[in-house]
């Protein structure tokens, strides 16, 4: 069976839409329809009820979904098994959003291989949709995300609390004279908290759904944005970024997402090493918070609700 058909089926099932599946798989809508039709023809049953509102699994589609997940898992296990480099006996793949790699992801890879030298490790990067799709498909077994998506077969656990701070590429910026604000999409909780605390910043003419990549944009032009404190630390020390006076700080938690079917021994190793890495990062975070507190009065703004818990 063509594994592409299975992946397409799961994407339509997860999104409830042929259009959304098209956007996430970067193919045409006609290609999505053709793949689903081929799969339905092979199984002899209709898998989706289609309407203008989207696509809903039929009873047969619901029955097929767990088997599709199993087929994809077996495929990925086989693909990864035969690709393990010579000299290694096990393999583990993890993913993370861009800004979570420097402070957590790279250290996690190091800790994994230090603890188990025979372990071959692989890393993937991307936004939440891409990383979640890799988790569902079995391409990766664990991931670090700021905005995890709950899917069947996945477990979400807290990782590390970060802080979003308002910084500018020029000194002496204040909330009153801030005219170069760039809105970075940090999710609905942050958007709501910002609207409550600083409503005049919600109408920015520049917005970026790039996560911590927006830091490079801000550093290289006259601009200001809320960015993760750990990510901008070196730029603050180098004088390339500056804290905006009197601006609030917003807690921004990160999460680790696991596949439920990860091998028990690898799951234990991954959790143990990540715990050590997070503990070290928390120590760094405490130091950074102390540094920020010495630069200004530090008052985090708590979001009213966190839907990721």
């Amino acid at each position: 069976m063509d594994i592409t058909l299975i992946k397409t089926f799961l994407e339509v099932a997860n999104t409830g839409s042929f259009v959304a599946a098209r956007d996430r798989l970067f193919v045409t809508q006609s290609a999505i329809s053709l793949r689903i039709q081929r799969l339905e023809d092979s199984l002899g049953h209709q898998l989706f009820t289609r309407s203008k509102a989207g696509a809903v699994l039929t009873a047969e589609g619901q029955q097929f979904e767990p088997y599709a997940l199993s087929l994809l898992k077996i495929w990925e296990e086989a693909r990864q098994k035969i690709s393990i480099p010579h000299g290694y006996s096990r393999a583990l793949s993890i993913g993370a959003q861009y800004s979570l790699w420097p402070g957590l992801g790279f250290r996690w890879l190091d800790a994994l291989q230090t603890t188990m030298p025979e372990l071959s490790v692989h890393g993937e990067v991307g936004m939440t949709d891409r990383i979640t799709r890799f988790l569902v498909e079995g391409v990766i077994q664990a991931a670090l995300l700021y905005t995890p998506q709950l899917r069947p077969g996945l477990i979400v656990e807290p990782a590390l609390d970060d802080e979003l701070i308002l910084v500018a590429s020029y000194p002496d910026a204040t909330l009153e004279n801030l005219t170069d604000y760039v809105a970075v999409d940090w999710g609905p909780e942050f958007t709501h908290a910002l609207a409550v605390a600083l409503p005049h910043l919600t109408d920015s003419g520049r917005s970026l759904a790039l996560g911590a990549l927006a830091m490079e944009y801000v550093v290289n032009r006259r601009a200001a944005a809320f960015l993760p404190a750990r990510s901008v630390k070196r730029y603050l020390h180098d004088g390339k970024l500056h804290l905006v006076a009197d601006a609030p700080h917003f807690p921004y938690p990160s999460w680790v997402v696991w596949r439920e079917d990860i091998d028990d021994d690898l799951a234990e190793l991954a959790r143990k090493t990540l715990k050590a890495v997070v503990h070290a990062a928390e120590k760094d975070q405490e130091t950074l918070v102390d540094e920020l507190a010495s630069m200004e009065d530090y008052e985090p703004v708590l979001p009213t609700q966190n839907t990721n818990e």
Side-chain angles (χ1 to χ4, degrees), residues 158-212:
L160 176 70
D161 286 342
D162 210 332
E163 297 283 344
L164 293 176
I165 62 175
L166 184 57
V167 294
S169 59
Y170 50 93
D172 303 322
T174 68
L175 291 175
E176 288 71 27
N177 66 17
L178 199 65
T179 59
D180 304 286
Y181 178 70
V182 179
V184 181
D185 183 6
W186 294 113
E189 289 83 12
F190 167 74
T191 300
H192 175 73
L194 181 67
V196 172
L198 302 171
H200 67 287
L201 294 184
T202 59
D203 295 325
S204 172
R206 286 183 289 179
S207 61
L208 300 173
L210 300 176

Side-chain angles (χ1 to χ4, degrees), residues 34-301:
L34 180 60
R35 291 176 184 179
I36 297 301
Q37 184 62 56
R38 286 177 57 194
L39 185 58
E40 290 176 331
D41 290 344
S42 298
L43 293 171
H45 291 281
Q46 184 177 342
L47 300 175
F48 293 98
T49 300
R50 301 154 175 83
S51 70
K52 292 182 179 179
V56 179
L57 286 170
T58 61
E60 292 79 8
Q62 292 175 2
Q63 290 178 331
F64 179 67
E65 186 175 18
Y67 292 101
L69 289 167
S70 297
L71 287 169
L72 199 55
K73 177 180 180 291
I74 293 171
W75 170 263
E76 287 299 333
E77 285 180 348
R79 186 183 65 82
Q80 293 177 23
K81 185 67 176 180
I82 64 176
S83 64
I84 294 178
H86 178 71
Y88 297 88
S89 60
R90 305 294 299 277
L92 183 69
S93 297
I94 65 175
Q97 290 181 239
Y98 298 92
S99 53
L100 287 169
W101 270 112
L104 289 180
F106 294 143
R107 297 180 185 182
W108 194 11
L109 291 182
D110 292 339
L112 284 166
Q113 285 203 307
T114 298
T115 307
M116 184 183 284
E118 70 273 20
L119 180 69
S120 172
V121 294
H122 174 72
E124 291 282 352
V125 69
M127 301 300 285
T128 300
D129 285 350
R130 181 174 191 264
I131 295 299
T132 301
R133 187 172 75 249
F134 282 174
L135 281 165
V136 171
E137 294 177 356
V139 176
I140 57 178
Q141 289 77 52
L144 296 166
L145 296 169
Y146 281 124
T147 52
Q149 299 174 1
L150 297 179
R151 298 285 184 84
L154 302 182
I155 301 172
V156 179
E157 299 172 349
L160 176 70
D161 286 342
D162 210 332
E163 297 283 344
L164 293 176
I165 62 175
L166 184 57
V167 294
S169 59
Y170 50 93
D172 303 322
T174 68
L175 291 175
E176 288 71 27
N177 66 17
L178 199 65
T179 59
D180 304 286
Y181 178 70
V182 179
V184 181
D185 183 6
W186 294 113
E189 289 83 12
F190 167 74
T191 300
H192 175 73
L194 181 67
V196 172
L198 302 171
H200 67 287
L201 294 184
T202 59
D203 295 325
S204 172
R206 286 183 289 179
S207 61
L208 300 173
L210 300 176
L213 282 177
M215 180 169 58
E216 299 301 325
Y217 179 87
V218 173
V219 167
N220 292 298
R221 52 192 47 81
R222 185 178 177 84
F226 277 97
L227 296 169
R230 288 184 300 108
S231 299
V232 303
K233 179 179 179 180
R234 67 183 186 275
Y235 290 106
L236 291 172
H237 289 171
D238 293 342
K240 295 181 179 179
L241 288 176
H242 309 268
L243 287 173
V244 175
D246 303 321
H249 300 207
F250 298 88
Y252 196 59
S254 61
W255 308 79
V256 57
V257 186
W258 311 92
R259 283 187 61 94
E260 286 183 346
D261 55 10
I262 184 174
D263 292 344
D264 291 341
D265 59 336
L266 284 182
E268 181 179 359
L269 170 68
R271 281 188 166 90
K272 179 180 179 180
T273 51
L274 180 60
K275 183 178 180 180
V277 167
V278 167
H279 180 71
E282 287 174 340
K283 292 295 184 182
D284 292 343
Q285 184 90 321
E286 291 174 4
T287 301
L288 177 57
V289 168
D290 290 340
E291 293 176 1
L292 292 174
S294 67
M295 299 172 68
E296 63 171 19
D297 292 333
Y298 181 76
E299 296 183 357
V301 174

